[in-house]
Amino acid sequence: MTTDQHIALQDLDLFCRHAFLAVGADQATADAATRAMLHGTTFGVDSHGVRLLPHYLKALQGGRLNRSPLLQKVGGFGAVEVLDADNAQGAVGAYHGMDRAVELARQFGLGAVAIRNSSHFGPAGAYSLAAAQAGFIGISFCNSDSFVRLHDGAMRFHGTNPISVAVPVQGGDPWFLDMATSAIPYNRVQLYRSLEVRLPEAVASDAAGVDTTDPNAAEMLAPLGGEFGFKGAALAGVAEIFSAVLTGMKLSFDILPMGGPDFSTPRQMGAFVLALNPEAFLAPENFDAGMRRYLQVLRDSPARQDCRVMAPGDREWEISRIRAEKGVILDPVTAKEFRVLAETLGIAPLA
Amino acid sequence: MTTDQHIALQDLDLFCRHAFLAVGADQATADAATRAMLHGTTFGVDSHGVRLLPHYLKALQGGRLNRSPLLQKVGGFGAVEVLDADNAQGAVGAYHGMDRAVELARQFGLGAVAIRNSSHFGPAGAYSLAAAQAGFIGISFCNSDSFVRLHDGAMRFHGTNPISVAVPVQGGDPWFLDMATSAIPYNRVQLYRSLEVRLPEAVASDAAGVDTTDPNAAEMLAPLGGEFGFKGAALAGVAEIFSAVLTGMKLSFDILPMGGPDFSTPRQMGAFVLALNPEAFLAPENFDAGMRRYLQVLRDSPARQDCRVMAPGDREWEISRIRAEKGVILDPVTAKEFRVLAETLGIAPLA
């Protein structure tokens, strides 16, 4: 396998499933974890794509993640449920939680699920999109170990705490937002280090919280918003309160680092998902007409010079169609890791 | 009355109520509209404070707003209600909607209310804070007539579409976010025009969508996020979809301008409020402990040089205490308008 070879998404899907089963994860874990990573890889969110496979395998082998989790409803009231994910890989609880939120929304018009004892859940958009594809508005939040300073702060305080919202569109792709509440993703810093490129202004700071454009000096990320970073920090706070406080799980600054060295202790992370049934609010044809007009005016609206106006998700849907047809090229590090995995786990390598 | 005289908040409150009653608004309208404006003035959100009084009176007198609205539940399902505000002043439906959302959250753990046939609702934070003060997490959204371009767009597309979230804190002030999804508020442009000061970079554009720092050339605002303005535009989209699409009301670019000239036609705006009961998710003492630890670590965290770390709302709570004690100084335009109002409406002028 050369590093510039396109690999079909279904081949990646199979490889990941086999790898999970080979380390003793149960079928539900293999299914959910693979599905979430494939969401990332399909939509071009490669930081949360299949490159995470070796990480998850290590956490399953180390005991951080439970290979045979028993998910249980442990609380709730009305249109709210509390789900204990039993230290499952993060996607297991998040997909299950969103399935439950959708069922609650069918019954009550909307429903929320607080997920306890979860872990890194990958791309937040995987779960909101699952709701939208079932005809519901989906919202998902997660916090993560700290990388992002407060607007006026000089400490890694919040995680990149994503917020995702997906909205069904009759006869079209869902409207689809999946954003970190930091100015840039941390992997951008890592990328710029390897490329030896300066960072944009005001997106990262040194250990004292002083802005730096040197990726090697970057110790923390700025919150979204630049001069108005108090807004980004507050949005990170919303994700934090929903995913950590409402679940009774760890705050970002208390979470064990994703990258270890400890791979045996469960990280006690929370996550939060919410679904709304548009039909509880208005007739489906009126909702659909509203979304259609909104998107039509948006896509037909004048662009700034050399720009193209897109709705949230449009770029991702385009990438997904290209990748579904052509496959994807793995980054060299991941490609190499997958070759090693195939050998050590005794599973079929990628073609 | 000189323009630098402090006026007690309760005097402003009374003056506003008398003015509303003097133009024939019913008591419920006078109460809700005054309460929302006093929220703005109390917390230092002066753009949405009592300076809006002459505007609302004009809209009530012109017929845009209904002076005796009959609010009705016109739909809903489970934990969802649809409220027709009968073209009431915006705060009337929004406060009533949040009251209903809190009741639904008492019954179902969470509740959402889509408000139809509303109008400019003033400060979004007024309604989320009302929920938090009742012990619930409150969320409110509204869209408004278009001022803000899309990230790559050259058209006034979204309104400044606020998002507000407030969270109760046992023994302390609620955590409290109320943000426009634009880079800056439009009144900042107006202020800089009068001060003859340049705008910051990348917060406003001319009619072609080209960035400008000249406040006189600014035809539209940029979305929050600068280089990452697609995030701010998407957040504006969330507010738009919830407040306009889910309510079946007008999209921002279809709303009649707030400033007229038409003050007789109802603007058919929607709004959306949501409440969650923390106790549906976990024991109150665990929720309270989580919020306390989150806020304590935040407020004790190291600051950037010459900065001070604050939680969302901290600045506003400080202002509110100062203003509750000392009163406020009205801007000269509003002070003059209030003198004229007292005369034309035959009500007692501010002392």
Side-chain angles (χ1 to χ4, degrees):
Chain A
M1 188 172 78
T2 65
T3 53
D4 60 351
Q5 189 181 330
H6 282 85
I7 301 170
L9 293 174
Q10 53 269 39
D11 291 343
L12 281 173
D13 185 290
L14 265 182
F15 183 83
C16 292
R17 282 170 204 271
H18 290 160
F20 281 118
L21 297 175
V23 300
D26 64 11
Q27 190 68 50
T29 299
D31 288 348
T34 299
R35 184 180 167 197
M37 289 193 300
L38 262 290
H39 170 101
T41 295
T42 301
F43 286 101
V45 191
D46 290 319
S47 56
H48 291 70
V50 294
R51 69 172 276 274
L52 290 171
L53 177 64
H55 168 81
Y56 290 138
L57 297 176
K58 195 170 171 185
L60 287 160
Q61 290 174 306
R64 173 192 288 181
L65 299 180
N66 186 343
R67 288 179 279 192
S68 309
L70 185 66
L71 274 62
Q72 281 189 86
K73 179 181 166 180
V74 293
F77 176 85
V80 166
E81 281 188 12
V82 181
L83 175 69
D84 189 313
D86 196 20
N87 302 314
Q89 191 274 350
V92 182
Y95 276 123
H96 185 74
M98 189 57 95
D99 281 351
R100 290 300 311 151
V102 163
E103 279 314 305
L104 291 166
R106 245 186 254 286
Q107 202 181 336
F108 297 104
L110 80 172
V113 178
I115 305 164
R116 294 185 186 165
N117 294 311
S118 185
S119 196
H120 186 264
F121 81 0
Y127 317 107
S128 57
L129 188 59
Q133 288 172 327
F136 292 73
I137 296 176
I139 301 179
S140 59
F141 297 114
C142 196
N143 67 330
S144 57
D145 42 325
S146 296
F147 275 122
V148 187
R149 63 170 172 77
L150 294 163
H151 181 52
D152 288 319
M155 163 186 164
R156 289 179 167 200
F157 188 83
H158 287 122
T160 50
N161 292 14
I163 295 178
S164 179
V165 181
V167 183
V169 176
Q170 178 67 31
D173 297 318
W175 183 101
F176 173 32
L177 162 68
D178 180 2
M179 60 172 263
T181 51
S182 51
I184 55 169
Y186 187 67
N187 69 330
R188 174 94 70 116
V189 175
Q190 295 172 310
L191 177 68
Y192 280 32
R193 276 178 194 163
S194 73
L195 297 174
E196 298 184 5
V197 170
R198 308 293 292 187
L199 291 164
E201 297 287 340
V203 302
S205 314
D206 66 15
V210 178
D211 283 355
T212 180
T213 59
D214 175 359
N216 294 303
E219 279 293 320
M220 53 190 101
L221 303 175
L224 174 69
E227 187 189 352
F228 309 95
F230 55 90
K231 294 184 181 183
L235 291 168
V238 172
E240 187 87 16
I241 291 167
F242 276 80
S243 61
V245 180
L246 274 181
T247 60
M249 291 289 109
K250 286 204 181 293
L251 295 159
S252 289
F253 42 75
D254 291 329
I255 297 174
L256 288 173
M258 181 177 171
D262 181 351
F263 272 90
S264 62
T265 309
R267 293 170 79 213
Q268 295 181 269
M269 291 175 63
F272 192 97
V273 293
L274 196 145
L276 300 98
N277 184 359
E279 296 186 24
F281 295 90
L282 73 175
E285 59 271 24
N286 292 342
F287 177 76
D288 295 335
M291 285 305 295
R292 263 201 310 276
R293 176 159 167 74
Y294 176 64
L295 288 169
Q296 192 188 340
V297 174
L298 189 157
R299 294 192 179 117
D300 290 350
S301 73
R304 306 174 85 191
Q305 195 169 5
D306 303 324
C307 290
R308 182 175 148 219
V309 176
M310 283 186 289
D314 282 0
R315 186 188 302 274
E316 288 75 13
W317 287 110
E318 276 187 13
I319 293 170
S320 77
R321 277 183 274 273
I322 293 167
R323 291 190 170 186
E325 195 194 323
K326 296 194 173 172
V328 292
I329 298 170
L330 293 183
D331 68 88
V333 173
T334 301
K336 187 179 166 198
E337 286 182 322
F338 278 25
R339 283 194 297 274
V340 174
L341 279 178
E343 240 171 76
T344 53
L345 298 178
I347 59 174
L350 287 165
Chain B
M1 188 173 77
T2 64
T3 52
D4 59 353
Q5 190 181 331
H6 282 83
I7 301 170
L9 293 175
Q10 53 269 40
D11 291 343
L12 280 174
D13 186 290
L14 265 182
F15 183 82
C16 291
R17 282 170 204 270
H18 290 160
F20 280 119
L21 297 174
V23 302
D26 63 14
Q27 191 68 50
T29 298
D31 289 348
T34 298
R35 184 180 167 196
M37 288 192 301
L38 262 291
H39 169 101
T41 295
T42 301
F43 286 101
V45 191
D46 291 321
S47 56
H48 291 71
V50 294
R51 67 172 278 274
L52 290 170
L53 177 64
H55 167 82
Y56 290 138
L57 297 176
K58 196 169 169 185
L60 287 159
Q61 291 174 307
R64 173 193 287 181
L65 298 179
N66 186 344
R67 288 179 279 191
S68 310
L70 185 65
L71 274 63
Q72 280 189 87
K73 179 181 165 181
V74 293
F77 177 84
V80 165
E81 282 187 14
V82 181
L83 174 68
D84 189 314
D86 196 20
N87 303 313
Q89 191 274 349
V92 183
Y95 276 122
H96 185 73
M98 188 57 94
D99 282 349
R100 289 301 311 149
V102 163
E103 280 313 306
L104 291 165
R106 245 186 253 287
Q107 201 180 340
F108 297 105
L110 79 171
V113 178
I115 305 163
R116 295 184 184 165
N117 294 311
S118 184
S119 195
H120 185 264
F121 81 0
Y127 317 108
S128 57
L129 188 59
Q133 288 172 329
F136 292 74
I137 297 175
I139 301 179
S140 58
F141 297 115
C142 196
N143 67 330
S144 57
D145 41 326
S146 297
F147 275 120
V148 187
R149 62 170 173 76
L150 294 163
H151 182 53
D152 289 319
M155 165 187 163
R156 289 181 168 199
F157 188 82
H158 286 123
T160 50
N161 292 14
I163 293 177
S164 179
V165 181
V167 182
V169 177
Q170 179 67 28
D173 298 318
W175 183 102
F176 173 33
L177 162 69
D178 179 1
M179 60 172 263
T181 51
S182 51
I184 55 169
Y186 186 66
N187 68 331
R188 174 94 70 114
V189 176
Q190 295 173 310
L191 177 67
Y192 281 31
R193 276 177 194 164
S194 72
L195 298 174
E196 296 183 6
V197 169
R198 308 294 292 189
L199 292 165
E201 297 286 340
V203 301
S205 314
D206 67 14
V210 178
D211 283 355
T212 179
T213 59
D214 176 358
N216 294 302
E219 279 293 321
M220 53 189 100
L221 302 175
L224 174 70
E227 187 190 350
F228 308 94
F230 55 90
K231 294 185 181 183
L235 290 167
V238 173
E240 187 87 18
I241 290 167
F242 276 80
S243 61
V245 178
L246 273 180
T247 61
M249 291 288 108
K250 284 201 183 295
L251 294 159
S252 288
F253 43 74
D254 291 330
I255 297 174
L256 287 173
M258 180 178 171
D262 181 351
F263 272 88
S264 62
T265 309
R267 293 169 80 215
Q268 295 181 270
M269 290 174 64
F272 192 96
V273 293
L274 196 144
L276 299 98
N277 184 0
E279 297 186 26
F281 294 90
L282 74 173
E285 58 272 25
N286 293 342
F287 178 75
D288 294 336
M291 284 305 294
R292 262 202 311 275
R293 173 156 170 78
Y294 176 63
L295 287 169
Q296 192 188 338
V297 175
L298 188 156
R299 294 193 179 117
D300 291 349
S301 72
R304 308 174 84 191
Q305 195 170 6
D306 303 325
C307 290
R308 182 174 149 218
V309 176
M310 285 186 288
D314 282 359
R315 187 188 300 276
E316 288 76 12
W317 288 111
E318 277 187 11
I319 294 171
S320 76
R321 278 184 274 272
I322 294 168
R323 291 189 170 186
E325 196 193 322
K326 296 195 173 172
V328 293
I329 299 169
L330 293 182
D331 69 89
V333 172
T334 301
K336 187 178 165 195
E337 286 182 322
F338 278 25
R339 284 194 296 274
V340 173
L341 280 178
E343 239 172 74
T344 53
L345 299 177
I347 59 173
L350 288 163

